[in-house]
Amino acid sequence: MEVFVAKSSAIAEGQRVLIDHKGQKIGVLRVNGALHAFLNLCPHQGGPACEGMLIHKIEEVIDEDKRYLGMRFHDRDVHMVCPWHGWEFNVETGASAADGKHKLKRYKTIEKEGDVYVVV
Ligand code: FES
């Protein structure tokens, strides 16, 4: 079943929309040009994960001689940070950055004729 979310123009790069579908909140966001949709329910303790800030993944930099050179933001990977306790989730997979077995429930998105839908 396709559920209308918003006009495509309402979800620009880095933006998100929350909808209420039968009592469940679903967050829909656009990152790196692609749409992603998740149930707004953190697998840790039920926080509103889809309402957290977006931040590029932080990675450690190691050179060819195995020397640690510090940290940097990843060019592409973006994480959504649950506002309750800071668990981070990859916005492309919904998987927890700390332990991939914990995932946000993901929904398929459809963009057609200038509108965005989620499949529930
Ligand atoms: S409820 Fe999301 S990090 Fe705890």
Side-chain angles (χ1 to χ4, degrees):
M1 170 186 194
E2 294 177 9
V3 176
F4 175 75
V5 174
K7 291 286 191 194
S8 294
S9 59
I11 314 177
E13 179 67 27
Q15 300 296 308
R16 76 191 91 177
V17 169
L18 283 169
I19 64 166
D20 194 322
H21 175 69
K22 296 184 177 178
Q24 293 194 313
K25 285 199 166 49
I26 298 172
V28 182
L29 62 155
R30 190 184 307 271
V31 174
N32 294 327
L35 289 164
H36 307 280
F38 302 100
L39 182 65
N40 190 25
L41 187 71
C42 180
H44 179 219
Q45 291 183 355
C50 295
E51 298 173 46
M53 69 177 187
L54 297 175
I55 183 171
H56 279 254
K57 172 185 174 185
I58 297 171
E59 61 184 3
E60 294 177 327
V61 181
I62 312 284
D63 74 7
E64 295 128 16
D65 297 322
K66 310 283 187 217
R67 288 179 300 195
Y68 176 73
L69 301 179
M71 298 178 137
R72 68 181 173 205
F73 289 108
H74 193 275
D75 291 342
R76 179 174 171 81
D77 288 358
V78 175
H79 290 174
M80 187 161 56
V81 185
C82 179
W84 280 11
H85 313 101
W87 278 32
E88 296 184 21
F89 300 90
N90 182 301
V91 298
E92 291 191 4
T93 65
S96 164
D99 183 345
K101 76 180 181 205
H102 298 290
K103 292 184 176 175
L104 296 171
K105 178 177 172 49
R106 186 172 173 76
Y107 296 92
K108 181 179 177 187
T109 60
I110 297 172
E111 189 167 25
K112 60 183 177 186
E113 298 171 5
D115 294 328
V116 174
Y117 301 83
V118 291
V119 180
V120 296

